[in-house]
Amino acid sequence: MRKIREVLRLHHELSLSQPRIASACQLGVNTVHRYLQRAQAAGLGWPLPEDLDDHALEQLLFPHRAGPRPDLPPEPDWEQVARELTRKGVTRHQLWLEYREQEPKGYGYSAFCVHLRRHLGREQPTYAEAGATQRSADWLHAHVRALTYIGGVPECIVPDNLKSAVQRPHRYDPQLNRAYAELAAAYGFAVVPARVRAPKDKALAENAVLIVEREILAPMRDRRFFSLAEANAAIRERLDALNERPFSRHAGSRRQRFEELERPALRPLPTHPFEPAIWRRLQLGPTYHVEHAGHSYSVPHGLIGQEVELRITAAALEVFHASLRVAAHPRHDGPGQSTLNEHMPPHHRAYAALDGGQMLRWAEGVGVATATLLRQELENGPLRRARRLAEGLQRLARHYSPQRLEAASERALSLGVGSYTNLESILRRGLDRQPLDGERRTEATPIEHTNVRGPGYYH
């Protein structure tokens, strides 16, 4: 379902051709065509309704039978067209006429120009910066700064297969890193990873690396920098000079060529900056809470046993199920728990609503010692901890008589212990039936054993 959503986004937002969508999503062209036809038959556009989860989307799309695929016009060699366009006197109209002579059923002139602009938009101006690591956060922030530098968003980006971009490399079906796919959706570009062991896919990138090494890094080889910001300031200075420098063999510069050929093909930048996120996938346990950095966050209890995804940013933790957000919490690292009442089962919700007075009234109904134990917990700790003790006492009251629970509470008070574990141990071992005085005498009796040295040893 996630790939189908990406197909619809690329079709409606970027107006990509079906072969281009197939390449970006690692699907067959026929598969892309069937998805689009099913969406059209179901009356789905873009963006999809916010409350449409993956299950509902599947029900809308797949009860219908896809129609036949119409023939697509033959594609010209766009690389050759781009090279011919740089020659003096050659126009797009002339290149289109030559294309139609070879392919009479090919694109019309308007469509030819649109596809040519898209092809030219894939070529980026030289951009470089120093990064601390190749981890996901640094990788994503570098993309944001690069797109800001060129002032727009290209139709597609062709990354290498590093882990921050591609989670599982594959020639036909690579799995993108979820955070990187989210960045692509936020900025509206397609991601087409370079094929593994396909040097032709990396030719432009490798050439750009060579230019940066020669024109930027080599001249600064003897300089020392004491911060990443200082190094990037020096890199930016040489980068701007490189892009403004006139070509040696023909007129113009990299910046001028970019403004003439590539700028018109860029999409505008989003109005809000992208905030990188960490994604985690897990199965929701019986406590209906998920944990991150030592803190627990509640999830609707109806999802117990089902798979959910966590989206974690610097300020928030969100929980998704079937592509829909089902919970959101402010982020709190460290021990603690964030629980929303609407996520609790009904009996937990009723129990959480109990206040100290209600709990004490129940304990007083059992006896004075039981109420004293609970009162001490209320006075010396948070209400949440007192509720846990009250819940434990109620659990013991379902298995033992009120008289035995009261006797166990009295014994726990005399020993200075008042936890649920101590009470449960007293009742399980039957110590509540023994007299308190006898226990004190037993505890005061010295232990005599050959392995016990006794107080005389230390004189």
Side-chain angles (χ1 to χ4, degrees), residues 288-290 295-300 303 308-313 315-321 324-332 337-343:
Y288 62 91
H289 280 71
V290 295
H295 196 89
S296 296
Y297 304 86
S298 65
V299 181
L303 297 177
V308 296
E309 291 181 297
L310 309 186
R311 182 180 184 271
I312 306 151
T313 65
L317 182 141
E318 300 171 284
V319 184
F320 289 81
H321 174 70
L324 291 183
R325 189 175 73 173
V326 295
H329 299 270
R331 179 173 171 178
H332 301 286
Q337 181 171 296
S338 299
T339 304
L340 299 180
N341 287 337
E342 57 266 27
H343 295 165

Side-chain angles (χ1 to χ4, degrees), residues 8 37 58 80 96 129 144 150 160 165 251 269 276 283 341 352 379-380 383:
L8 297 177
Q37 279 205 329
E58 184 176 8
Q80 180 63 28
W96 172 73
E129 71 170 55
V144 172
I150 67 175
D160 208 341
L269 292 168
Q283 189 176 36
N341 287 337
E379 293 174 351
N380 300 324
L383 181 61

Side-chain angles (χ1 to χ4, degrees), residues 3-4 23 91 121 142 146 152 187 189 236 238 257-258 276 294 349 353 372 390 412 441:
K3 283 197 172 185
I4 292 178
S23 177
T91 64
Y187 277 81
F189 61 81
R236 176 60 62 86
R238 298 201 63 85
R257 180 64 60 86
F258 166 72
R349 197 176 306 154
T372 302
R441 286 194 299 271

Side-chain angles (χ1 to χ4, degrees), residues 256-300:
Q256 183 178 352
R257 180 64 60 86
F258 166 72
E259 295 294 340
E260 292 176 355
L261 299 181
E262 301 178 18
R263 172 76 71 186
L266 295 179
R267 295 169 57 86
L269 292 168
T271 55
H272 300 288
F274 176 75
E275 183 180 11
I278 300 172
W279 285 87
R280 289 177 53 200
R281 186 190 300 267
L282 49 84
Q283 189 176 36
L284 185 62
T287 63
Y288 62 91
H289 280 71
V290 295
E291 183 176 331
H292 178 75
H295 196 89
S296 296
Y297 304 86
S298 65
V299 181

Side-chain angles (χ1 to χ4, degrees), residues 89-227:
V90 178
T91 64
R92 299 185 182 195
H93 190 266
Q94 178 63 34
L95 294 174
W96 172 73
L97 290 176
E98 295 173 359
Y99 161 68
R100 287 300 294 264
E101 287 179 3
Q102 298 179 359
E103 303 291 348
K105 295 183 179 180
Y107 290 115
Y109 178 66
S110 298
F112 179 88
C113 292
V114 169
H115 285 277
L116 178 58
R117 284 197 300 271
R118 290 173 181 167
H119 173 78
L120 295 175
R122 292 182 299 176
E123 301 176 1
Q124 302 177 22
T126 302
Y127 175 79
E129 71 170 55
T133 69
Q134 286 190 339
R135 294 176 181 172
S136 180
D138 292 325
W139 170 257
L140 298 177
H141 281 302
H143 275 68
V144 172
R145 289 188 289 268
L147 296 175
T148 302
Y149 178 78
I150 67 175
V153 182
E155 179 184 297
C156 68
I157 289 180
V158 183
D160 208 341
N161 287 278
L162 74 165
K163 285 292 185 181
S164 296
V166 182
Q167 195 168 11
R168 183 177 60 85
H170 193 277
R171 182 178 180 86
Y172 304 107
D173 188 20
Q175 182 179 351
L176 293 182
N177 181 292
R178 181 65 187 274
Y180 191 41
E182 188 180 22
L183 171 69
Y187 277 81
F189 61 81
V191 178
V192 185
R195 294 170 295 173
V196 178
R197 292 185 295 276
K200 184 173 66 174
D201 290 1
K202 306 177 185 180
L204 290 176
E206 296 299 335
N207 184 58
V209 171
L210 180 62
I211 293 173
V212 170
E213 289 178 346
R214 290 177 176 175
E215 302 290 342
I216 297 178
L217 297 183
M220 299 192 304
R221 63 187 182 278
D222 294 328
R223 296 182 59 179
R224 297 184 65 185
F225 302 98
F226 297 94
S227 70

Side-chain angles (χ1 to χ4, degrees), residues 440-448:
R440 291 194 183 107
R441 286 194 299 271
T442 301
E443 291 177 350
T445 303
I447 300 175
E448 296 183 1

